Amino acid sequence: MKQPPSEEPEESLTVTPPKKWAAGVPAVTHALEYSLEETSVLRAGRTLLTMNQVDGIDCPGCAWADPSPGHRHRNEYCENGAKHINDEATTRRITAEFFRRHSVTELGRRSDLWLNQQGRLTEPMVKRPDSDHYEPISWHDALGLLAGELKALDSPDEAVFYTSGRVSNEAAFVLQLFARSFGTNNLPDCSNMCHESSGFALHETLGTGKGTVSLEDLHHADLIFLVGQNPGSNHPRQLSALEHAKGNGARIIAVNPLPEAGLLRFKNPQNVRGVAGHGVRIADRFLHIRSGGDLALFQGLNRLLLEAEDARPGTVLAHDFIRSNTSGFEEFARHVRGIAWEDVLTATGLTRKEIEKVRDEVLRSERVIVCWAMGVTQQRHAVPTIREIVNFLLLRGNLGRAGAGACPVRGHSNVQGDRTMGIWERMPDSFLDALQQEFGFDPPRAHGLDSVNAIRAMHEGRIKVFLGVAGNFVRAAPDSAVTEDAMRRCDLTAHISTKLNRSHTVCGRTALILPTLGRTERDIQATGEQFVTVENSMSEVHTSRGRLEPASSVLLSEVAILCRLARRTLEGRTSIPWDTFESDYGAIRDRISHIVPGLHDFNRRVVRPGGIRLPNPVNEGVYPTPVGKALFTCNAWEMSHAPEGHLLLQTLRSHDQWNTIPYTENDRYRGIHGSRRVVLVNPQDVTRLGLEKGQRVDLVSVWDGGAERRTEGFEVVPYPTTPGCAAAYYPETNVLLPLDSVAEISNQPTAKGIVVRLEPTVMSTV
Ligand SMILES: Nc1nc2c(c(=O)[nH]1)N[C@H]1C(S)=C(S)[C@@H](COP(=O)(O)OP(=O)(O)OC[C@H]3O[C@@H](n4cnc5c(=O)[nH]c(N)nc54)[C@H](O)[C@@H]3O)O[C@H]1N2
Ligand SMILES: Nc1nc2c(c(=O)[nH]1)N[C@H]1C(S)=C(S)[C@@H](COP(=O)(O)OP(=O)(O)OC[C@H]3O[C@@H](n4cnc5c(=O)[nH]c(N)nc54)[C@H](O)[C@@H]3O)O[C@H]1N2
Ligand code: SF4
Ligand SMILES: [Mo]
């Protein structure tokens, strides 16, 4: 067993110029360094070779899709996938002795990085109301305690069940079934903070919340937009797909306030040209957009397309497609023709010439795909922005055919699958009816709480029990101080987790840590070894089978914990066969196949190489909106605006972190080493604001004329971000995000476009 470092790392910042390319040999060596430090060579090698292979382990990193079975590389993973898997496969262990040594208060002062470095959780622990330490508890007593608290509630709606997108389909299905048979739709999830805006916008306009493209489509597109995403760090194998597309002649347009390395050039570590040569240029055009300017960009572009049609009637728009498949075109066209160019140019920070050049690229392209991620979804106008992207795709019929479509690039490896399984506080009646028919109970119909509303309810004392299944809610959520306060007001907080994180240290009166198997580990139940299934960003559902011996013999799987909890809580109130589900995950999949359209005959079809691709109605020419057609929409906007002396801050990921968990203090592609307490500011703004490189500043967010939120001691790094915009890492900056600052319609927290001021840090003299 490796020993974790006992002290926090010393912070010491060095800055080098940002990289102009991503992946290549350094990526391979960095992945290996991390593997060797975290695990034995053998464990690392064993897991990596089966990763993303047919019948192997699905990478627990992002939701990017695998190539079809015959086209997979022997090393079908990226540097970061290797880091994520080894972070779970670590040989470091947290035992009861660790919790005897460290009080909850002390652990609460530790950094996210340090907590994660301590290793895997190995036995159930409880923190009692009068104690500041976790102590061991048996599974029987832990689940009895949790079930007892749930049964004692005045209403099932006094409990919330949070999930993060690493949870398998089987566990997600069991969780929502438990919550609903218990009587609540309070199922907030990480998706509320991730692609909720995409779901709302796509559902409204196309009648389905999911992306429409496959890897094949990307390979055969003529033009691909990458809007608000950093694939070099967050979806590295997307770069292989883009390289493939470029080989087939595709052009790529990147839209981003930061010139991210992976958007510029890619050196594929899987081929000779990538390892030894210059690699492939990714973006043919880079639009250095202002924060929140994407809605204006697509509106400007749409106006230019309408004008091109005026100039050459019948040659630009897909008239037949628009006539037979869409509704609302005339009104949309009137609206877009009325927008003011000055507003578009101010909002985007681009020139008209730059946008006209994009129009020309579009006019030359038969097949267009738009990819987007958090730079779009975490903005106040995220939903109207994505609707405008849909308008853009509809104008030239870039939906429902090969090589074209909408590609929201999902985050967690199974975040999309969890939604398919019913993890949503507002599942449609069709799903609830199917549950009712299958299991013979009345699922609650009133919408439950999403993440933001759950925090409000906890804060107001309306929630007594919080159960988190994976994830790190207190760090993922906005307004850290408010969220922590909200958690502390619960009677019981419990987490089903693989590793220690801040959420375990911010406790209700009583707190439970329920340690669980990770995806890399063998899962053996009464009927034998089990596999689980997951769904990637391209709606492909496939198996994942763990290979490693569990981190401790005491661990239970997520499915087992949830089934036992359900049985103890509901005690014969339903006829749901929890014991059978626990012993045979195939029995869960059988039930899923009766409920989820497209997953019929689930058990038989999912074990075929490549698994099952869920049908997307749009690709069959069907738009299940209330009018049966795709909708053009009119999207008004207010410009994102920072008052004089302020900047628009985005909170984002470094190359070396998994969401709320930093792996190191480095962000190699951006040239940041040794510290995460940095704020990236355009050099012009550094001068304009009277700041200096390396100066320590406090970040102060300003909201609605009300209370200010502050976080101290960030080093100023001059960086080529768009003027007026700044960037700093999440989750350290979540304290700045006001709970009420949400995307309109989707209620998604705005982790991008926060108005901040930079104030010189006053050094304490004590
Ligand atoms: N290694 C690693 N991989 C991950 C994750 C991780 O933490 N680490 N997290 C996973 C998860 S859950 C998710 S959701 C995804 C997230 O993947 P990304 O969406 O790539 O994540 P962010 O780091 O938030 O980066 C946002 C990008 O949007 C840009 N941006 C910010 N504001 C704007 C804007 O107004 N307009 C435009 N056009 N661009 C903007 C930023 O400069 C940045 O490049 O990654 C997944 N993959
Ligand atoms: N400011 C700001 N805030 C953000 C974002 C942002 O860009 N900026 N991004 C948002 C987004 S896109 C997302 S998705 C959320 C992420 O929010 P979450 O999904 O809640 O957070 P993670 O950091 O992925 O959770 C890590 C923890 O998951 C647990 N875990 C890992 N693997 C497993 C497993 O197999 N089983 C179980 N049971 N537990 C496991 C470990 O204990 C680990 O500590 O954060 C959101 N918050
Ligand atoms: S691209 Fe995503 S899914 Fe693929 S190996 Fe890398 S982290 Fe894992
Ligand atoms: Mo995410």
Side-chain angles (χ1 to χ4, degrees), residues 230 234 255-256 260 292 294 374 379 650 657 659 752:
N230 176 23
N234 297 330
V255 187
N256 205 303
E260 308 281 26
D294 306 87
M374 299 304 104
Q379 298 278 358
Q650 63 156 320
Q657 77 183 77
N659 291 331
K752 313 284 191 271

Side-chain angles (χ1 to χ4, degrees), residues 160 188 449-459 463 466 473 486:
V160 296
L449 299 170
D450 63 9
S451 293
V452 165
N453 287 331
I455 297 165
R456 287 201 184 107
M458 288 194 276
H459 208 255
I463 299 298
F466 175 99
F473 187 70

Side-chain angles (χ1 to χ4, degrees), residues 194-399:
C194 187
H195 266 290
E196 197 67 70
S197 303
S198 306
F200 269 84
L202 293 176
H203 212 272
E204 180 190 342
T205 54
L206 301 178
T208 165
K210 295 183 183 178
T212 68
V213 307
S214 65
L215 268 191
E216 270 307 284
D217 289 321
L218 269 174
H219 293 166
H220 295 105
D222 298 326
L223 181 63
I224 301 169
F225 284 79
L226 305 175
V227 192
Q229 61 157 146
N230 176 23
S233 294
N234 297 330
H235 302 92
R237 281 188 313 151
Q238 185 179 3
L239 298 182
S240 310
L242 297 173
E243 180 186 39
H244 191 138
K246 293 219 88 170
N248 289 339
R251 306 263 304 165
I252 295 181
I253 297 180
V255 187
N256 205 303
L258 300 179
E260 308 281 26
L263 299 174
L264 306 178
R265 189 166 276 280
F266 173 48
K267 296 191 184 181
N268 188 343
Q270 292 171 345
N271 66 34
V272 175
R273 192 180 44 186
V275 174
H278 294 295
V280 182
R281 172 171 161 162
I282 295 290
D284 298 285
R285 237 166 245 295
F286 178 73
L287 301 182
H288 205 194
I289 198 158
R290 272 190 82 225
S291 172
D294 306 87
L295 172 52
L297 168 67
F298 278 94
Q299 229 160 47
L301 200 50
N302 287 341
R303 175 166 164 184
L304 289 175
L305 291 174
L306 292 173
E307 288 170 358
E309 171 73 20
D310 296 342
R312 287 179 290 129
T315 65
V316 172
L317 304 186
H319 291 284
D320 288 349
F321 176 87
I322 293 174
R323 219 179 355 263
S324 38
N325 292 303
T326 73
S327 163
F329 172 75
E330 295 301 335
E331 215 181 317
F332 151 78
R334 250 194 319 278
H335 179 257
V336 162
R337 285 176 195 282
I339 60 168
W341 270 110
E342 312 86 82
D343 292 346
V344 171
L345 302 185
T346 316
T348 57
L350 302 171
T351 63
R352 181 154 172 176
K353 189 131 219 92
E354 281 176 290
I355 305 177
E356 284 171 353
K357 287 206 169 127
V358 177
R359 172 204 56 200
D360 296 343
E361 298 260 9
V362 175
L363 291 177
R364 280 196 294 272
S365 307
E366 270 298 300
R367 296 174 292 269
V368 181
I369 289 176
V370 182
C371 302
W372 71 88
M374 299 304 104
V376 171
T377 63
Q378 294 180 335
Q379 298 278 358
R380 188 145 74 88
H381 300 306
V383 174
T385 303
I386 299 160
R387 284 191 201 136
E388 198 65 39
I389 290 175
V390 170
N391 288 339
F392 167 73
L393 291 169
L394 292 175
L395 277 179
R396 284 174 55 85
N398 277 308
L399 276 164

Side-chain angles (χ1 to χ4, degrees), residues 24 45 134 140 209 323 335 360 503 514 542 545 551 559 594 724 762 764:
Y134 276 103
H140 185 268
R323 219 179 355 263
H335 179 257
D360 296 343
S503 297
L514 306 171
H542 61 92
R545 204 184 280 273
V559 170
H594 302 160
V762 179
S764 158

